[in-house]
Amino acid sequence: MNLRVRFAETDQMGVVHHAAYVVWLEAARVEWMRERGLSYRALEEGGLSMAVSGLEVRYRSACRFDDVVRIDCALVELRSRHATFDYRLFVEDRLVATARTTHVPTDRRGRAVRLPADWSEAFAPHLERA
Amino acid sequence: MNLRVRFAETDQMGVVHHAAYVVWLEAARVEWMRERGLSYRALEEGGLSMAVSGLEVRYRSACRFDDVVRIDCALVELRSRHATFDYRLFVEDRLVATARTTHVPTDRRGRAVRLPADWSEAFAPHLERA
Amino acid sequence: MNLRVRFAETDQMGVVHHAAYVVWLEAARVEWMRERGLSYRALEEGGLSMAVSGLEVRYRSACRFDDVVRIDCALVELRSRHATFDYRLFVEDRLVATARTTHVPTDRRGRAVRLPADWSEAFAPHLERA
Amino acid sequence: MNLRVRFAETDQMGVVHHAAYVVWLEAARVEWMRERGLSYRALEEGGLSMAVSGLEVRYRSACRFDDVVRIDCALVELRSRHATFDYRLFVEDRLVATARTTHVPTDRRGRAVRLPADWSEAFAPHLERA
């Protein structure tokens, strides 16, 4: 997905604050699903969440206000009790960050559950090698 | 209440971003309640929310990273279907902003409801003139 | 402009947190300028900011995760020392909020200045009646 | 340091959004410095930043609105061109998350620089083993 850097996402160093990227990764996962006919909203409305259990970001180069950031997202691991996404963030051709998030399927009460078969089958065709 | 400005709350103008104040007002309401023996967490756990229906902020002077901001909060109107809080924000003796928020009691589904009698009675002694 | 509600913009009431709208208004102003051939980035890089001096929001109806929010923005007042924008926010045909922001031209040190003639002339054709 | 979870930091899962922790880590670093007689504000005002180059968070258990979160912070690596902090986050006695951030000293233009001798000497006594 592409997104435009918001002014509110900058800090007094004059560049994007590092926490903003974490919000972008989430938006990129949701769009990654949408592009594949999957709806994170439907998943949530069905009582399931993909809670974030792990987060890693490597910041390589700054992003600035009004930059267009492209986020390439890939599902690189899919198990019944966790899933992993990798990300590469670009401004034009410049790689500005890489990231990985791990997720645990949880129910409405926040308890870890097995990924239901229908969602597992829906995700499986989109699994890529890390 | 007093709070310390976080680095993430600044923007590239080198001062606090105006949206951060809105989050502070909310924190100040929660602390205002706590200081009076009222718990916003208990209110929420009981299925009630005080949804924000209106917001006004006048920004008079900038706040900076690491400043300690004092927020004076007052309940200035209390009806069965809405309530109003006024705020004055200071850094040391400097008035940096004034604000007003209006609230509507809502149930878990977000529908406007009458403020239950127990909460109305709990708030009433703390009403001040605007 | 249209924007997609991010998961991070929700709160435990299950709807968008009221502070998120404030960030959206800013994004809408920046896009309003871009659509008219004006660049807020260029304005900032030239040492000028349009600091927010006042903010009013009326929340009428909740927005939810993944909603597409349309923000109509209008410049309704333009003076040498302040400017005012009005906003209407929609989800499909539902008006979810209205807002107004007032702005003061400031220099790099945050001091109020007169809007330079070139920017004043660039904005003037886009002034609408409130 | 201790901090109180803000309502705005929750999401529609009813717990704290994972990006909020990243902002807390930063606040904890600033307080860690203050407790040792060091000022991040002074460091910034002197033209130096400790830009975040890497971030890892392991989320173990959810935090909720109004929880008091204790963040233990330790400087575990200190080189002329990078530094590493480790964190443990608790709600009462429950470990809710662990984290690590790596930092690169940068100048006002965002270029990586060597940590100046005065700051290196100020930090050195506070280095702990990972």
Side-chain angles (χ1 to χ4, degrees):
Chain A
M1 78 172 300
N2 289 331
L3 56 81
R4 176 79 68 174
V5 174
R6 298 173 175 181
F7 195 86
E9 293 169 335
T10 62
D11 66 27
Q12 71 177 43
M13 288 170 63
V15 296
V16 174
H17 189 267
H18 62 283
Y21 295 63
V22 181
V23 174
W24 298 348
L25 300 179
E26 182 176 70
R29 285 193 299 280
V30 171
E31 291 308 310
W32 180 94
M33 287 183 64
R34 192 190 321 282
E35 290 164 4
R36 283 153 187 80
L38 307 171
S39 163
Y40 191 71
R41 185 173 187 156
L43 185 145
E44 279 265 327
E45 287 173 355
L48 192 69
S49 293
M50 295 297 284
V52 177
S53 56
L55 167 68
E56 293 176 34
V57 188
R58 296 287 163 255
Y59 302 90
R60 301 167 60 106
S61 175
C63 298
R64 294 178 185 280
F65 165 59
D66 217 42
D67 281 349
V68 174
V69 181
R70 175 166 60 91
I71 307 181
D72 293 347
C73 178
L75 174 65
V76 296
E77 191 177 30
L78 180 67
R79 303 288 178 84
S80 63
R81 292 192 173 273
H82 75 269
T84 304
F85 285 90
D86 277 0
Y87 311 82
R88 290 158 58 88
L89 290 80
F90 296 88
V91 173
E92 295 176 349
D93 291 337
R94 178 168 49 95
L95 179 65
V96 294
T98 58
R100 168 167 288 190
T101 58
T102 53
H103 300 265
V104 172
T106 58
D107 65 14
R108 278 194 211 280
R109 301 183 127 188
R111 290 174 303 201
V113 295
R114 294 179 68 89
L115 187 62
D118 54 344
W119 280 105
S120 182
E121 287 163 21
F123 278 112
H126 308 294
L127 181 63
E128 301 177 41
R129 304 238 167 236
Chain B
M1 78 172 300
N2 289 331
L3 57 80
R4 175 79 70 173
V5 174
R6 297 173 176 180
F7 196 86
E9 293 169 335
T10 62
D11 66 27
Q12 71 178 44
M13 289 171 63
V15 297
V16 174
H17 188 267
H18 61 284
Y21 294 65
V22 181
V23 173
W24 298 349
L25 300 178
E26 181 176 71
R29 287 193 298 279
V30 171
E31 290 308 311
W32 180 94
M33 288 183 63
R34 193 191 319 283
E35 289 163 5
R36 284 151 186 82
L38 307 171
S39 164
Y40 191 71
R41 183 173 188 156
L43 186 146
E44 278 265 327
E45 288 173 355
L48 192 68
S49 293
M50 295 298 282
V52 177
S53 56
L55 167 68
E56 293 177 34
V57 189
R58 297 286 163 256
Y59 301 91
R60 301 167 60 105
S61 174
C63 299
R64 294 179 184 280
F65 165 60
D66 217 42
D67 280 349
V68 174
V69 181
R70 176 166 61 89
I71 307 180
D72 292 348
C73 178
L75 175 65
V76 296
E77 191 177 29
L78 180 68
R79 304 286 177 84
S80 63
R81 291 192 173 274
H82 75 268
T84 304
F85 284 91
D86 277 1
Y87 310 82
R88 289 159 57 87
L89 290 79
F90 296 89
V91 172
E92 295 176 348
D93 293 336
R94 179 167 49 96
L95 179 65
V96 294
T98 59
R100 168 168 288 192
T101 56
T102 53
H103 300 265
V104 172
T106 58
D107 65 14
R108 279 193 211 280
R109 299 182 130 190
R111 291 175 303 202
V113 296
R114 293 180 68 88
L115 188 63
D118 54 344
W119 280 105
S120 181
E121 287 163 21
F123 278 112
H126 308 295
L127 181 63
E128 299 177 42
R129 303 239 168 233
Chain C
M1 78 171 302
N2 289 331
L3 56 79
R4 175 80 69 174
V5 174
R6 298 173 175 180
F7 196 87
E9 292 169 336
T10 63
D11 67 26
Q12 72 178 43
M13 291 171 62
V15 296
V16 174
H17 189 266
H18 61 285
Y21 295 64
V22 181
V23 174
W24 298 348
L25 300 178
E26 181 176 73
R29 285 193 300 279
V30 171
E31 291 308 311
W32 179 94
M33 288 183 63
R34 193 189 320 281
E35 290 163 5
R36 283 153 186 80
L38 307 170
S39 163
Y40 191 71
R41 184 173 187 155
L43 186 145
E44 278 266 326
E45 288 174 354
L48 191 68
S49 293
M50 294 298 282
V52 177
S53 57
L55 167 68
E56 293 176 34
V57 189
R58 297 287 164 254
Y59 302 90
R60 301 167 59 105
S61 174
C63 298
R64 293 179 185 280
F65 165 60
D66 217 42
D67 281 349
V68 174
V69 181
R70 175 165 63 89
I71 307 180
D72 292 348
C73 178
L75 175 65
V76 296
E77 192 177 30
L78 180 68
R79 304 286 179 83
S80 63
R81 291 191 173 274
H82 76 269
T84 305
F85 285 91
D86 277 0
Y87 311 82
R88 290 159 56 87
L89 292 78
F90 296 89
V91 172
E92 296 176 349
D93 291 336
R94 180 167 49 96
L95 179 64
V96 294
T98 58
R100 169 169 287 192
T101 57
T102 53
H103 300 264
V104 173
T106 58
D107 65 13
R108 279 192 210 280
R109 299 183 130 189
R111 291 174 302 202
V113 295
R114 296 180 66 89
L115 188 62
D118 53 344
W119 280 104
S120 181
E121 288 164 20
F123 278 112
H126 307 294
L127 180 64
E128 300 177 41
R129 302 236 167 236
Chain D
M1 77 172 302
N2 289 333
L3 56 81
R4 176 78 69 173
V5 174
R6 298 173 177 180
F7 196 86
E9 293 170 335
T10 62
D11 66 29
Q12 71 178 43
M13 291 171 61
V15 296
V16 174
H17 189 267
H18 62 282
Y21 294 64
V22 181
V23 173
W24 298 349
L25 300 179
E26 182 176 72
R29 286 193 299 278
V30 171
E31 290 309 310
W32 179 93
M33 287 183 64
R34 193 190 321 281
E35 290 163 5
R36 283 154 186 81
L38 307 171
S39 163
Y40 191 70
R41 184 172 188 156
L43 185 145
E44 278 266 327
E45 288 173 353
L48 192 69
S49 293
M50 294 298 282
V52 177
S53 56
L55 167 68
E56 291 176 34
V57 188
R58 296 286 162 256
Y59 301 91
R60 301 168 60 106
S61 175
C63 298
R64 293 180 185 280
F65 165 59
D66 217 44
D67 280 348
V68 174
V69 181
R70 176 166 61 88
I71 306 180
D72 292 348
C73 178
L75 174 65
V76 296
E77 192 177 29
L78 180 68
R79 304 289 178 82
S80 63
R81 291 191 173 273
H82 76 268
T84 304
F85 285 90
D86 277 0
Y87 310 82
R88 288 158 58 87
L89 291 78
F90 296 89
V91 172
E92 296 178 346
D93 290 338
R94 179 167 49 96
L95 180 65
V96 294
T98 58
R100 168 168 288 191
T101 57
T102 53
H103 300 265
V104 171
T106 58
D107 65 14
R108 279 193 211 280
R109 301 183 128 188
R111 291 175 302 202
V113 296
R114 295 180 67 90
L115 188 62
D118 54 344
W119 280 104
S120 180
E121 286 162 22
F123 277 112
H126 307 295
L127 180 64
E128 300 177 41
R129 303 242 167 230

